[in-house]
Amino acid sequence: MKNRTLAIIKPDGVRDQVVGAIIDKIQKNGFHILAMKLSKLTKESAGEFYAVHKGRPFYDELVTFMSSGACVPIVLEKENAVAEFRNLIGATDPAEAAENTIRKLFAKSKGENVIHGSDSDEMQK
Ligand code: GDP
């Protein structure tokens, strides 16, 4: 069944001018773009988005990073979109990500890892 997932190209991707290359990769992997915009998160909204990580040592750094510049949230559709997109982005740490995944190709560190993908249908984040 076709379903939807939320991707976010993080501020490092916008800053490094790889938005086009990442979207190209996403589309070539069969995802359809249903909605997309350029948007800057406030610290508060970034904090809410990642509330599940509150209390973790990297939380403040993550919230500061995610609100440090524009990002590109994208709603995608495909068969089994959530799991398929998690496969396409690769492991959280680009050093551990599989070849040809978005994080392996474009990310620099575990914190600044260029893209977010929902990890469940339930939360859609
Ligand atoms: P994801 O689902 O692969 O994005 O990973 P998580 O849900 O575990 O973490 C959310 C985000 O927090 C990651 O994408 C990273 O941007 C950041 N993050 C996770 N672990 C670390 C860490 O150990 N150090 C830093 N600096 N950031 C981290």
Side-chain angles (χ1 to χ4, degrees), residues 66-81:
M66 287 301 293
S67 56
S68 67
C71 62
V72 183
I74 312 171
V75 179
L76 296 168
E77 187 177 67
K78 191 185 177 181
E79 294 279 326
N80 197 18

Side-chain angles (χ1 to χ4, degrees), residues 10 50 53 56 58 62 86 89-98 101 103-104 107-115:
K10 297 184 179 184
Y50 279 116
H53 293 305
R56 298 268 193 94
F58 59 84
L62 175 60
R86 295 287 296 183
I89 70 178
T92 308
D93 185 345
E96 289 166 15
T101 57
R103 284 172 170 163
K104 181 72 171 188
K108 295 195 173 66
S109 69
K110 192 173 185 183
E112 304 209 354
N113 60 3
V114 101
I115 194 147

Side-chain angles (χ1 to χ4, degrees), residues 19-97:
V19 172
I22 291 173
I23 290 172
D24 186 50
K25 182 93 183 146
I26 291 171
Q27 291 185 309
K28 284 192 171 131
N29 277 273
F31 291 87
H32 289 259
I33 294 174
L34 300 183
M36 177 168 77
K37 64 178 177 180
L38 190 70
S39 167
K40 190 170 183 297
L41 296 177
T42 61
K43 268 201 153 182
E44 193 183 31
S45 54
E48 274 172 30
F49 185 75
Y50 279 116
V52 68
H53 293 305
K54 211 169 181 173
R56 298 268 193 94
F58 59 84
Y59 179 74
D60 286 348
E61 195 181 315
L62 175 60
V63 168
T64 300
F65 165 57
M66 287 301 293
S67 56
S68 67
C71 62
V72 183
I74 312 171
V75 179
L76 296 168
E77 187 177 67
K78 191 185 177 181
E79 294 279 326
N80 197 18
V82 171
E84 288 276 305
F85 195 67
R86 295 287 296 183
N87 283 338
L88 180 61
I89 70 178
T92 308
D93 185 345
E96 289 166 15

Side-chain angles (χ1 to χ4, degrees), residues 9-23:
I9 301 176
K10 297 184 179 184
D12 53 337
V14 175
R15 222 174 269 135
D16 294 347
Q17 302 269 67
V18 290
V19 172
I22 291 173
I23 290 172

